[in-house]
Amino acid sequence: EVQLVQSGAEMRKPGESLKISCKASGYSFSNYWIAWVRQMPGKGLEWMGIIYPGDSDATYSPSFQGQVSISADKSMNTAYLRWSSLKATDAAMYFCARSSPAAQADYWGQGTLVSVSS
Amino acid sequence: QSVLTQPPSVSGAPGQRVTISCTGSISNIGAGYEVHWYQQFPGTAPKLLIFANTNRPSGVPDRFSGSKSGTSASLAITGLQAEDEADYYCQSYDTGLSGSVFGGGTKLTVL
């Protein structure tokens, strides 16, 4: 059974760093892209970027380029989303999903809620 | 403002048919890229409903169907049920952005 299990909710202050994770199981992690999707409170889905764990090739939406970093560890079957300096506007629910650049996202993680407040 | 445009809301009575449109441009849907649809209930992750314009994943009722023409796509739901009340999103690939994009989402209300 394909599963994506995300790390738990996080609370941080503006300016702090954060790394959230998405652990995959039930399929060959290296061979499928993982996408990250943001959903701000009461708003729609935003595609942030995508990574191919096989070679760590990552592509970002222009809106998120330089704002976040996407990485993957094949040995841990885990993808990551990292901020070096959080802003209040980064407060949102973040989802990982198995996908590919132009294809559907067929399996989704449960989401990680990120709160940012001073 | 999303690259793919959806109506903010649609509604229908139980048993009726509703459609949700997804309007794009020549840099995404009109360029031949496939359209996918997702259903999301409050507080939960999105669920894949339709992929590659017209295909249903296993387990999705045939009351849900997708179509695509030109620079637009549509999701149709027939025999509307109370449990269909949710948010629906379309997704496609955009060459200008070199990545996937979502529509703004449509809230379906079952009257």
Side-chain angles (χ1 to χ4, degrees), chain A residues 9 16 22 58 60 64 66 75 77 80 82-83 98-99 101 103 108 111:
Chain A
E16 292 186 339
C22 170
Y60 298 85
F64 293 94
S75 68
N77 282 3
Y80 301 95
R82 182 180 180 273
W83 295 261
R98 193 179 80 165
S99 183
W108 292 70

Side-chain angles (χ1 to χ4, degrees), chain B residues 8-67:
Chain B
S9 63
V10 297
S11 62
Q16 285 189 333
R17 178 181 187 270
V18 296
T19 61
I20 298 172
S21 60
C22 175
T23 303
S25 68
I26 59 172
S27 65
N28 41 68
I29 298 175
Y33 290 102
E34 295 171 334
V35 178
H36 320 294
W37 291 90
Y38 303 87
Q39 178 189 57
Q40 186 183 33
F41 296 105
T44 69
K47 168 192 168 185
L48 180 64
L49 203 59
I50 297 288
F51 67 95
N53 307 323
T54 61
N55 299 280
R56 283 186 309 277
S58 174
V60 173
D62 59 6
R63 301 186 297 104
F64 296 89
S65 63
S67 63

Side-chain angles (χ1 to χ4, degrees), chain A residues 3-66:
Chain A
Q3 281 193 312
L4 297 175
V5 178
Q6 297 185 231
S7 49
E10 300 276 5
M11 293 182 64
R12 291 288 189 277
K13 293 180 169 55
E16 292 186 339
S17 64
L18 176 64
K19 191 176 187 179
I20 62 175
S21 65
C22 170
K23 185 171 178 61
S25 62
Y27 72 97
S28 178
F29 178 67
S30 295
N31 295 338
Y32 290 82
W33 296 77
I34 292 283
W36 286 95
V37 175
R38 182 175 79 174
Q39 188 166 39
M40 299 179 76
K43 302 298 185 183
L45 305 175
E46 299 174 89
W47 192 86
M48 302 175 70
I50 196 164
I51 189 165
Y52 187 72
D55 60 7
S56 289
D57 178 26
T59 304
Y60 298 85
S61 164
S63 298
F64 293 94
Q65 179 80 48

Side-chain angles (χ1 to χ4, degrees), chain A residues 63-74:
Chain A
S63 298
F64 293 94
Q65 179 80 48
Q67 307 303 308
V68 296
S69 176
I70 296 173
S71 61
D73 184 336
K74 289 188 293 186

